[in-house]
Amino acid sequence: MKISSLTEWTDWIKIYNKESVAKFINPRAGESKLGEHVCFISHPEELKNHPAKYVLLGIPEDIGVRANYGKPGTSEAWEATLGAFLNIQDNHFTNANNLILLGEIDCDKQMVQAHELSQNIDHNVEELGELVIQIDHKVERIVETIVAAGKIAIIIGGGHNNSYGNLSGTSAALGKKINCINMDAHTDFRSLEHRHSGNGFTYAFARGYLSKYFIFGLHQNYTSENVLCAIRDTQGRVQFSLFEDIELEKTKTFTEALQEAEDFCCNDDFGIELDLDSIEGMGSSAMTSSGFSMTKARRFLRHFSKLPNLRYVHLCEGAPKAGLFPNAVAKGISYLISDVINEKK
């Protein structure tokens, strides 16, 4: 059930307003910054009648990454993104008045507990998985509320564990399974063990939230035979294109790969997942030296975000301190958000 009461709403999320984001904005004479013109709401009921099409939401956590034996740091992507994104220019391309800056999922309690667990070298990853489940519930309820109001959610992680809450929340809002396309070096279709960043799609598939799933640009080196077998067992509901086929062997063009994914899962309601570890040199929890360029990631997002059945976009796994140059992750995510809300024909 979607959130309706203000008390319940504020239990799950830190709601932003103009004053709370002012510290991120650097005004300049003769210019108008996007952060000076984005929209805000104070109650979930305002979503239904608000003219803006998109709702921006942050998830500042790295618990799912830790539970997947990964490096922490994705919790810092949201605040870094605000510092970059709110300072891009407000003009007729960026469409600030078409975006509600909602706020962030409140992960404070879980992050403190995760930090305490991580200080103990004998900690059990299953305990971190229990904290992931708590975050799952919050993400699911907030995303459900956004989608049920007829808006497109733009969610900034955080780890890829949050794909589960995105899918389950969107499915609940629409009352049916949904499809998903994920630009990723990995499937995140690992076994149904404790919850972590590597099995969000597996859980969503097993629990009836995910119908068709397409992995765009999967890397051969990081896909186990067990996962490939699990994909074969889905009877065609999970498919992928290989990064090596697109970029190295050139057996299909980038444009052909986009069309293949679109034909598979975009004729019905779908979500977009974009893991920053698919972008070469981008700071992420699993940073890669071989991947798509930032420009191709933008092409990917511009292509799919303009399709009529889109219901949400999730940009995840960014780790600002791991980037090749300062502000790379924040600026990269900012470009990607602006590519979604840019509706220039």
Side-chain angles (χ1 to χ4, degrees):
M1 180 181 294
K2 63 183 181 295
I3 298 173
S4 57
S5 74
L6 184 58
T7 300
E8 188 178 18
W9 179 257
T10 53
D11 283 344
W12 299 110
I13 186 171
K14 298 178 183 178
I15 303 171
Y16 289 178
N17 55 38
K18 191 171 183 178
E19 290 70 33
S20 63
V21 301
K23 63 183 179 181
F24 295 106
I25 303 169
N26 302 314
R28 184 169 180 172
E31 296 183 0
S32 183
K33 300 295 181 71
L34 180 138
E36 297 174 299
H37 300 278
V38 292
C39 307
F40 300 93
I41 64 166
S42 58
H43 192 284
E45 289 300 315
E46 296 176 42
L47 281 172
K48 291 187 297 185
N49 298 317
H50 199 288
K53 180 178 180 180
Y54 301 97
V55 177
L56 184 61
L57 172 70
I59 313 178
E61 63 81 36
D62 55 20
I63 305 168
V65 173
R66 299 183 196 211
N68 196 25
Y69 305 98
K71 298 177 181 178
T74 61
S75 60
E76 300 170 355
W78 170 241
E79 184 168 320
T81 296
L82 289 175
F85 179 66
L86 296 179
N87 284 293
I88 67 175
Q89 298 296 323
D90 174 57
N91 55 41
H92 67 277
F93 297 117
T94 52
N95 296 319
N97 60 359
N98 207 20
L99 179 70
I100 297 168
L101 176 51
L102 182 57
E104 65 184 73
I105 300 289
D106 188 349
C107 303
D108 289 352
K109 179 180 177 181
Q110 288 77 22
M111 283 293 291
V112 169
Q113 291 175 301
H115 178 74
E116 292 171 351
L117 286 172
S118 297
Q119 300 309 299
N120 179 2
I121 60 173
D122 298 320
H123 82 265
N124 196 327
V125 288
E126 281 80 4
E127 295 179 73
L128 290 171
E130 290 300 312
L131 297 177
V132 174
I133 292 172
Q134 294 176 28
I135 301 294
D136 283 345
H137 187 55
K138 296 181 182 184
V139 175
E140 177 180 328
R141 298 293 296 280
I142 298 296
V143 171
E144 180 186 0
T145 302
I146 294 169
V147 175
K151 307 301 182 187
I152 294 174
I154 304 174
I155 305 134
I156 311 301
H160 220 160
N161 43 292
N162 296 303
S163 62
Y164 175 80
N166 299 334
L167 292 163
S168 60
T170 303
S171 174
L174 300 176
K176 64 177 185 179
K177 297 178 182 180
I178 70 160
N179 299 337
C180 185
I181 176 170
N182 176 27
M183 185 182 220
D184 202 337
H186 315 91
T187 64
D188 291 341
F189 207 70
R190 289 180 179 271
S191 61
L192 295 172
E193 52 189 5
H194 67 279
R195 279 286 293 117
H196 56 64
S197 63
N199 59 19
F201 297 100
T202 330
Y203 270 94
F205 189 88
R207 293 178 177 175
Y209 304 125
L210 177 58
S211 180
K212 293 181 179 180
Y213 174 39
F214 194 98
I215 308 105
F216 187 97
L218 181 65
H219 285 215
Q220 294 174 345
N221 288 7
Y222 297 100
T223 308
S224 71
E225 195 62 38
N226 285 340
V227 167
L228 291 172
C229 288
I231 289 174
R232 286 194 288 270
D233 289 342
T234 65
Q235 300 180 321
R237 288 172 55 195
V238 179
Q239 296 187 15
F240 58 86
S241 59
L242 288 172
F243 172 80
E244 289 79 7
D245 287 346
I246 301 168
E247 293 292 289
L248 303 180
E249 300 296 333
K250 305 288 187 180
T251 57
K252 65 181 73 174
T253 67
F254 190 78
T255 299
E256 288 170 343
L258 292 175
Q259 192 60 53
E260 177 187 17
E262 180 181 341
D263 291 344
F264 179 67
C265 66
C266 299
N267 292 321
D268 203 345
D269 296 300
F270 74 99
I272 300 171
E273 300 272 341
L274 196 160
D275 190 320
L276 268 68
D277 71 20
S278 65
I279 303 172
E280 187 171 312
M282 182 61 68
S284 68
S285 61
M287 188 171 168
T288 185
S289 58
S290 178
F292 289 116
S293 68
M294 182 66 200
T295 299
K296 283 190 173 175
R298 294 184 65 188
R299 281 183 59 193
F300 168 90
L301 200 52
R302 284 194 172 220
H303 178 88
F304 289 105
S305 66
K306 303 304 177 280
L307 298 178
N309 292 321
L310 176 68
R311 297 296 170 257
Y312 80 83
V313 176
H314 182 210
L315 311 176
C316 62
E317 296 282 332
K321 291 180 181 177
L324 291 180
F325 58 87
N327 217 27
V329 170
K331 288 190 72 173
I333 295 175
S334 296
Y335 271 120
L336 293 167
I337 297 171
S338 64
D339 287 331
V340 175
I341 65 175
N342 183 327
E343 296 192 338
K344 177 178 178 288
K345 304 299 183 183

